[in-house]
Amino acid sequence: MTTTKVKLADICTDSNTQVREAINQEKVNEYTHLLEEGLEFDPIELYNDGAKIHISSGWHRYLAHRSAGKTEIAAIVHVGTARDAFFNGIKANGPSPIPYNNLDYHKILRWMETDEETSQWSNAQKAKLIPCSRTTVNRLIKKIREESYQEAKEATEIKPIKYTRNGKVQEMKRKPAAPPPDEPPPMENDSQVAEMVDTITSLEEKLRDAQDKIMVAQWDATDIEKEDVEETLSDLRTKIKLLEIENQALRDSRDSLQVENNQLMKTVRGLQTKLKKLEQ
């Protein structure tokens, strides 16, 4: 990629492309000191949408250049939107010298939950992009969905109007402006399913290795060795079948819960509609 010099004044800093929850000021100060000593940093990544130039990765280097009184910074400039800058920033900042913390993961995953493309991804795909463990993604996605549900619920709730009559404070209830939001969808069991698949794959590899060893050493093996290998192969095949059954049962259970949840939500909406008609 071609590196060019970009004026700091031409770079937009208010387009919400910072993937971290907060700037590490100590790191900015450290970079500023190194710049003043003559150190040259790797170029930052920018995205130009024709109207604004957005920072994708390199916020701490950008702020350090500004702090050091620099007017230009080395950068690789891509063509793209603020969304492209944020998305690329997720991948670029993962292996950076400043590791992500839980607040950073929370901000990134909350963005991914609202993004048109990444909101359709599985938790395993999200974990691979950031990167972090599937357990972390599962835990934070559940928390984020609960937060979003509570925020939406509070937005639909109308507080009663308080007024005074005969010296007493009374309340007049008002109808909500919109129906309450749907409950957050059930979490997919990504970690358990993935763990099951990994185990099955591992056992299949062991099975193939054992078969190869038999083919290579079948004429030299003793009867006892052959019996041991045959017994091991039989045990492995049994374990694989059991794991495949458990894996399918887990998927069926998840699908059943999703269907049941959808049916319940339809019933709730139907009851809400009937209740509104009765109130009118």
Side-chain angles (χ1 to χ4, degrees), residues 179-222:
D182 294 343
E183 291 280 351
M187 289 293 299
E188 57 183 83
N189 228 332
D190 273 352
S191 58
Q192 294 183 34
V193 172
E195 184 179 353
M196 198 77 72
V197 171
D198 292 343
T199 304
I200 291 173
T201 302
S202 175
L203 289 173
E204 287 176 339
E205 290 175 354
K206 290 181 180 179
L207 177 59
R208 287 194 295 269
D209 290 343
Q211 289 173 332
D212 290 341
K213 289 178 181 178
I214 289 176
M215 293 178 65
V216 172
Q218 59 182 342
W219 300 114
D220 298 327
T222 65

Coordinates of all heavy atoms in Angstrom, one line a residue, residues 179-222:
P179 N -46.0 0.2 21.5 CA -46.0 -1.1 22.2 C -44.6 -1.4 22.7 O -43.6 -1.0 22.2 CB -46.4 -2.1 21.1 CG -46.0 -1.5 19.8 CD -46.2 0.0 20.0
P180 N -44.5 -2.1 23.8 CA -43.2 -2.5 24.4 C -42.4 -3.4 23.4 O -43.0 -4.1 22.6 CB -43.6 -3.3 25.7 CG -45.0 -3.8 25.4 CD -45.6 -2.7 24.6
P181 N -41.1 -3.3 23.5 CA -40.3 -4.1 22.5 C -40.4 -5.6 22.8 O -40.7 -6.0 23.9 CB -38.9 -3.5 22.7 CG -38.9 -3.1 24.2 CD -40.3 -2.6 24.4
D182 N -40.0 -6.3 21.8 CA -39.9 -7.8 22.0 C -38.8 -8.1 22.9 O -37.8 -7.4 23.0 CB -39.6 -8.5 20.6 CG -40.8 -8.3 19.6 OD1 -41.9 -8.0 20.1 OD2 -40.6 -8.5 18.4
E183 N -39.0 -9.2 23.6 CA -37.9 -9.7 24.5 C -36.7 -10.0 23.7 O -36.8 -10.4 22.5 CB -38.3 -11.0 25.2 CG -39.4 -10.8 26.2 CD -38.9 -10.2 27.6 OE1 -37.6 -10.2 27.7 OE2 -39.7 -9.9 28.4
P184 N -35.5 -9.8 24.2 CA -34.2 -10.1 23.5 C -34.2 -11.6 23.1 O -34.7 -12.5 23.8 CB -33.1 -9.8 24.4 CG -33.7 -9.8 25.8 CD -35.1 -9.4 25.6
P185 N -33.8 -11.9 21.8 CA -33.8 -13.3 21.3 C -32.9 -14.2 22.2 O -32.0 -13.7 22.8 CB -33.3 -13.2 19.9 CG -32.5 -11.9 19.9 CD -33.2 -11.0 20.9
P186 N -33.2 -15.5 22.2 CA -32.4 -16.4 23.0 C -31.0 -16.5 22.4 O -30.8 -16.4 21.2 CB -33.1 -17.8 22.9 CG -33.9 -17.6 21.6 CD -34.4 -16.2 21.6
M187 N -30.0 -16.6 23.3 CA -28.6 -16.7 22.8 C -28.4 -18.0 22.1 O -28.8 -19.1 22.6 CB -27.7 -16.6 24.0 CG -27.6 -15.2 24.6 SD -26.9 -14.0 23.5 CE -25.3 -14.7 23.2
E188 N -27.6 -17.9 21.0 CA -27.2 -19.2 20.4 C -26.1 -19.8 21.2 O -25.4 -19.1 21.9 CB -26.7 -18.9 19.0 CG -25.5 -17.9 19.0 CD -25.0 -17.5 17.6 OE1 -25.6 -16.7 17.0 OE2 -24.1 -18.1 17.2
N189 N -26.1 -21.1 21.2 CA -25.1 -21.8 22.1 C -23.8 -22.1 21.3 O -23.4 -23.2 21.1 CB -25.7 -23.2 22.5 CG -25.6 -23.3 24.0 OD1 -24.6 -22.8 24.6 ND2 -26.5 -24.1 24.6
D190 N -23.2 -21.0 20.8 CA -22.1 -21.1 19.9 C -20.9 -21.8 20.6 O -20.3 -22.7 20.0 CB -21.6 -19.7 19.6 CG -22.3 -19.2 18.3 OD1 -23.0 -19.9 17.7 OD2 -22.1 -18.0 18.0
S191 N -20.6 -21.5 21.9 CA -19.5 -22.1 22.5 C -19.6 -23.6 22.7 O -18.7 -24.4 22.4 CB -19.3 -21.5 23.9 OG -20.4 -21.6 24.7
Q192 N -20.8 -24.1 23.0 CA -21.0 -25.5 23.2 C -21.0 -26.3 21.9 O -20.4 -27.3 21.7 CB -22.3 -25.8 23.9 CG -22.4 -25.3 25.4 CD -23.7 -25.6 26.0 OE1 -24.3 -26.7 25.8 NE2 -24.1 -24.7 26.9
V193 N -21.7 -25.7 20.9 CA -21.7 -26.3 19.6 C -20.3 -26.4 19.0 O -19.8 -27.4 18.5 CB -22.6 -25.5 18.6 CG1 -22.5 -26.1 17.2 CG2 -24.0 -25.7 19.1
A194 N -19.5 -25.2 19.1 CA -18.2 -25.2 18.5 C -17.3 -26.2 19.3 O -16.4 -26.9 18.6 CB -17.6 -23.8 18.7
E195 N -17.4 -26.3 20.6 CA -16.6 -27.2 21.4 C -16.9 -28.7 20.9 O -16.0 -29.5 20.8 CB -16.9 -27.0 22.8 CG -16.0 -27.9 23.7 CD -16.3 -27.7 25.2 OE1 -17.1 -26.8 25.5 OE2 -15.8 -28.5 26.0
M196 N -18.2 -29.0 20.7 CA -18.6 -30.3 20.2 C -18.0 -30.6 18.9 O -17.4 -31.7 18.7 CB -20.1 -30.4 20.2 CG -20.6 -31.8 20.2 SD -20.6 -32.5 21.8 CE -21.9 -31.6 22.6
V197 N -18.0 -29.6 18.0 CA -17.5 -29.8 16.6 C -16.0 -30.1 16.7 O -15.4 -30.9 16.0 CB -17.8 -28.6 15.7 CG1 -17.1 -28.7 14.4 CG2 -19.3 -28.6 15.5
D198 N -15.3 -29.3 17.5 CA -13.8 -29.4 17.7 C -13.5 -30.8 18.2 O -12.5 -31.4 17.8 CB -13.3 -28.3 18.6 CG -13.4 -26.9 18.0 OD1 -13.5 -26.9 16.8 OD2 -13.3 -26.0 18.8
T199 N -14.3 -31.3 19.2 CA -14.0 -32.6 19.7 C -14.2 -33.7 18.7 O -13.4 -34.6 18.6 CB -15.0 -32.9 20.9 OG1 -14.8 -31.8 21.9 CG2 -14.6 -34.2 21.6
I200 N -15.3 -33.6 17.9 CA -15.5 -34.6 16.9 C -14.4 -34.6 15.8 O -13.9 -35.6 15.4 CB -16.9 -34.3 16.2 CG1 -18.0 -34.5 17.1 CG2 -17.1 -35.1 14.9 CD1 -19.4 -34.1 16.6
T201 N -14.0 -33.4 15.4 CA -12.9 -33.3 14.5 C -11.6 -33.9 15.0 O -10.9 -34.6 14.3 CB -12.6 -31.8 14.1 OG1 -13.8 -31.2 13.6 CG2 -11.5 -31.7 13.1
S202 N -11.3 -33.7 16.3 CA -10.1 -34.2 16.9 C -10.2 -35.8 16.9 O -9.2 -36.4 16.6 CB -10.0 -33.7 18.3 OG -8.9 -34.3 19.0
L203 N -11.4 -36.3 17.3 CA -11.5 -37.7 17.3 C -11.4 -38.4 15.9 O -10.8 -39.5 15.7 CB -12.8 -38.1 18.0 CG -12.9 -37.8 19.5 CD1 -14.4 -38.1 20.0 CD2 -12.0 -38.7 20.2
E204 N -11.9 -37.7 14.9 CA -11.8 -38.2 13.6 C -10.4 -38.2 13.1 O -10.0 -39.2 12.4 CB -12.7 -37.3 12.6 CG -14.2 -37.5 12.8 CD -15.0 -36.5 11.9 OE1 -14.4 -35.5 11.5 OE2 -16.1 -36.8 11.6
E205 N -9.6 -37.2 13.5 CA -8.2 -37.2 13.1 C -7.5 -38.4 13.8 O -6.6 -39.0 13.2 CB -7.6 -35.9 13.6 CG -8.0 -34.7 12.7 CD -7.5 -33.4 13.2 OE1 -6.8 -33.4 14.3 OE2 -7.7 -32.3 12.6
K206 N -7.8 -38.6 15.1 CA -7.2 -39.8 15.8 C -7.5 -41.1 15.1 O -6.7 -42.0 15.0 CB -7.6 -39.8 17.2 CG -7.0 -38.6 18.1 CD -7.5 -38.7 19.5 CE -6.9 -37.6 20.4 NZ -7.4 -37.7 21.8
L207 N -8.8 -41.2 14.6 CA -9.2 -42.4 14.0 C -8.5 -42.6 12.7 O -8.0 -43.7 12.4 CB -10.7 -42.3 13.7 CG -11.4 -43.4 12.9 CD1 -11.2 -44.7 13.7 CD2 -12.9 -43.2 12.7
R208 N -8.3 -41.5 11.9 CA -7.5 -41.7 10.6 C -6.1 -42.0 10.9 O -5.5 -42.8 10.2 CB -7.6 -40.4 9.9 CG -9.0 -40.1 9.2 CD -8.9 -39.0 8.2 NE -8.6 -37.7 8.8 CZ -9.5 -36.9 9.3 NH1 -10.8 -37.2 9.2 NH2 -9.2 -35.7 9.8
D209 N -5.5 -41.4 11.9 CA -4.1 -41.7 12.3 C -3.9 -43.2 12.6 O -3.0 -43.9 12.2 CB -3.6 -40.9 13.5 CG -3.5 -39.4 13.1 OD1 -3.4 -39.1 11.9 OD2 -3.4 -38.6 14.0
A210 N -4.9 -43.7 13.4 CA -4.8 -45.1 13.8 C -5.0 -46.0 12.6 O -4.3 -47.1 12.5 CB -5.9 -45.4 14.8
Q211 N -5.9 -45.7 11.7 CA -6.0 -46.5 10.5 C -4.8 -46.5 9.6 O -4.4 -47.5 9.1 CB -7.2 -46.0 9.7 CG -8.6 -46.2 10.3 CD -9.7 -45.5 9.6 OE1 -9.5 -44.5 9.0 NE2 -10.9 -46.1 9.7
D212 N -4.1 -45.3 9.6 CA -2.9 -45.3 8.8 C -1.8 -46.1 9.4 O -1.0 -46.8 8.7 CB -2.4 -43.8 8.7 CG -3.3 -42.9 7.9 OD1 -4.0 -43.5 7.1 OD2 -3.2 -41.7 8.0
K213 N -1.7 -46.1 10.8 CA -0.7 -46.9 11.4 C -0.9 -48.4 11.2 O 0.0 -49.2 11.1 CB -0.7 -46.6 12.9 CG -0.2 -45.2 13.3 CD -0.3 -45.0 14.8 CE 0.2 -43.6 15.1 NZ 0.1 -43.3 16.6
I214 N -2.2 -48.8 11.1 CA -2.5 -50.2 10.9 C -2.0 -50.6 9.5 O -1.4 -51.7 9.3 CB -4.0 -50.5 11.0 CG1 -4.4 -50.4 12.5 CG2 -4.4 -51.9 10.5 CD1 -5.9 -50.5 12.8
M215 N -2.3 -49.7 8.5 CA -1.9 -50.0 7.1 C -0.4 -50.1 7.0 O 0.1 -51.0 6.3 CB -2.5 -48.9 6.2 CG -4.0 -48.9 6.1 SD -4.6 -47.6 5.0 CE -4.0 -48.1 3.4
V216 N 0.3 -49.3 7.7 CA 1.8 -49.3 7.6 C 2.4 -50.4 8.3 O 3.3 -51.1 7.8 CB 2.3 -47.9 8.2 CG1 3.9 -48.0 8.2 CG2 1.9 -46.8 7.3
A217 N 1.9 -50.8 9.4 CA 2.5 -51.8 10.3 C 1.7 -53.1 10.4 O 2.0 -53.9 11.3 CB 2.8 -51.2 11.7
Q218 N 0.8 -53.3 9.5 CA -0.1 -54.5 9.7 C 0.6 -55.8 9.6 O 0.2 -56.8 10.3 CB -1.2 -54.4 8.6 CG -0.7 -54.4 7.2 CD -1.9 -54.3 6.2 OE1 -3.0 -54.6 6.6 NE2 -1.6 -54.0 5.0
W219 N 1.7 -55.9 8.8 CA 2.4 -57.1 8.7 C 3.4 -57.4 9.8 O 3.7 -58.5 10.1 CB 3.2 -57.2 7.4 CG 2.3 -57.0 6.1 CD1 2.3 -56.0 5.3 CD2 1.3 -57.9 5.7 NE1 1.3 -56.2 4.3 CE2 0.7 -57.4 4.6 CE3 0.8 -59.2 6.2 CZ2 -0.4 -58.0 3.9 CZ3 -0.3 -59.8 5.5 CH2 -0.8 -59.2 4.4
D220 N 3.8 -56.3 10.5 CA 4.7 -56.4 11.6 C 4.1 -56.5 13.0 O 4.7 -56.8 14.0 CB 5.7 -55.3 11.6 CG 6.5 -55.2 10.3 OD1 6.8 -56.3 9.8 OD2 6.9 -54.1 9.8
A221 N 2.8 -56.1 13.0 CA 2.1 -56.0 14.3 C 1.8 -57.4 14.9 O 1.5 -58.4 14.1 CB 0.8 -55.3 14.2
T222 N 1.9 -57.6 16.2 CA 1.6 -58.8 16.8 C 0.0 -58.9 17.0 O -0.7 -57.9 16.8 CB 2.2 -58.9 18.2 OG1 1.6 -57.9 19.1 CG2 3.7 -58.8 18.1

